[in-house]
Amino acid sequence: MRHVSPMEVYQRLHAHYGDQQWWPAETPFEMMVGAILTQNTRWENVEDAIQNLKNANMLNPESIISSKISRLEELIYPSGFFRQKSRRLIELSNFLLAHDGTRGLKRWPTQCLRARMLEVHGIGPETADSILLYALDKPVFVIDAYTRRIFSRLGLIESSIKYGDLQNFFFQRLPNSLRIFQEFHALIVQHAKQFCLTKAQCDDCPLFDMCETVCELDRLSAF
């Protein structure tokens, strides 16, 4: 394993890509909807579905709850799995309205709120943490497939590490900063789309000299 710290990775990515100012949404509720709709689909499809909701004046929890399920399914159809996701949006909307919306939820202690959110149908750890981080301004670190891919290739983690263990890996090595957690996750996504794809594009990668995978390939090619 190479002795590269997550903070060094963050600083390198930030120097290369600059501020990301994520999540791309106009309101906290739009961000939450995006976190639900982006499950198992491309972000471009999510944007189409969100625009449909905006055009129908339904990008609020009251309208989603009162809408006919068939109408909601039609609007979010571009995001895929529209029947499952429509139920999840209704559950999320009910949860919000039952707890005084985002203003009420922000008053909850982070871990208590996270545990309660995980009880909502269709909200798993990654979705819950995304909502906590970007919609409710809670300093949590979001773990996704891109995080596993990049940091396992860097040689800092095993790709099979559990979600909670990987999250703790970052908590123990980064300052408890909302801004850093938000920017770092966004930078990871950007880097995974630019260079660290399923098939890595290593030429001009800003993390090239840090990467354990590249070093291993160089070693093998020497034989």
Side-chain angles (χ1 to χ4, degrees):
M1 297 288 185
R2 291 169 62 81
H3 296 292
V4 176
S5 72
M7 196 62 191
E8 289 178 278
V9 176
Y10 169 76
Q11 291 168 340
R12 184 74 65 87
L13 292 178
H14 189 266
H16 184 82
Y17 296 108
D19 286 343
Q20 299 299 293
Q21 298 180 353
W22 255 37
W23 185 291
E26 295 178 2
T27 66
F29 185 69
E30 180 180 333
M31 182 275 141
M32 295 181 189
V33 170
I36 296 289
L37 297 183
T38 198
Q39 297 169 359
N40 302 305
T41 194
R42 297 167 62 243
W43 181 251
E44 292 79 5
N45 299 331
V46 175
E47 289 180 319
D48 290 341
I50 287 177
Q51 190 59 53
N52 287 345
L53 291 169
K54 286 183 177 180
N55 292 342
N57 294 317
M58 282 183 54
L59 199 53
N60 59 82
E62 295 85 358
S63 295
I64 285 179
I65 290 171
S66 61
S67 170
K68 289 184 178 180
I69 189 72
S70 58
R71 176 59 171 156
L72 181 56
E73 291 174 353
E74 176 187 356
L75 293 171
I76 68 169
Y77 180 85
S79 70
F81 300 95
F82 56 92
R83 291 190 177 89
Q84 295 176 5
K85 291 178 180 179
S86 62
R87 294 196 300 272
R88 292 171 184 177
L89 289 179
I90 292 170
E91 292 288 337
L92 172 65
S93 297
N94 279 319
F95 177 71
L96 276 169
L97 293 179
H99 297 93
D100 194 24
T102 56
R103 181 177 58 183
L105 292 180
K106 284 183 177 183
R107 293 196 290 265
W108 290 39
T110 301
Q111 290 307 312
C112 179
L113 176 55
R114 185 178 191 270
R116 183 63 186 86
M117 288 187 65
L118 290 173
E119 296 175 358
V120 178
H121 174 75
I123 295 184
E126 182 182 338
T127 302
D129 289 336
S130 295
I131 291 173
L132 288 167
L133 180 63
Y134 292 110
L136 301 175
D137 295 331
K138 300 290 187 180
V140 298
F141 199 90
V142 178
I143 302 300
D144 58 16
Y146 295 146
T147 312
R148 292 180 184 278
R149 180 194 301 168
I150 291 171
F151 281 84
S152 61
R153 286 177 176 173
L154 289 173
L156 297 176
I157 63 164
E158 297 294 334
S159 59
S160 59
I161 188 172
K162 293 180 180 179
Y163 188 102
D165 292 337
L166 182 50
Q167 193 174 54
N168 285 332
F169 170 85
F170 288 102
F171 282 149
Q172 293 166 6
R173 292 166 175 81
L174 294 172
N176 185 31
S177 165
L178 175 66
R179 170 175 155 71
I180 288 178
F181 289 170
Q182 289 176 336
E183 282 295 320
F184 204 170
H185 175 245
L187 289 165
I188 286 169
V189 173
Q190 180 71 1
H191 186 65
K193 291 181 176 180
Q194 292 289 327
F195 291 100
C196 208
L197 292 82
T198 303
K199 183 177 181 181
Q201 307 295 314
C202 296
D203 291 347
D204 299 319
C205 171
L207 301 181
F208 184 87
D209 62 320
M210 296 180 170
C211 189
E212 183 83 1
T213 300
V214 171
C215 292
E216 180 65 14
L217 290 174
D218 286 345
R219 186 187 68 80
L220 292 173
S221 65
F223 290 93

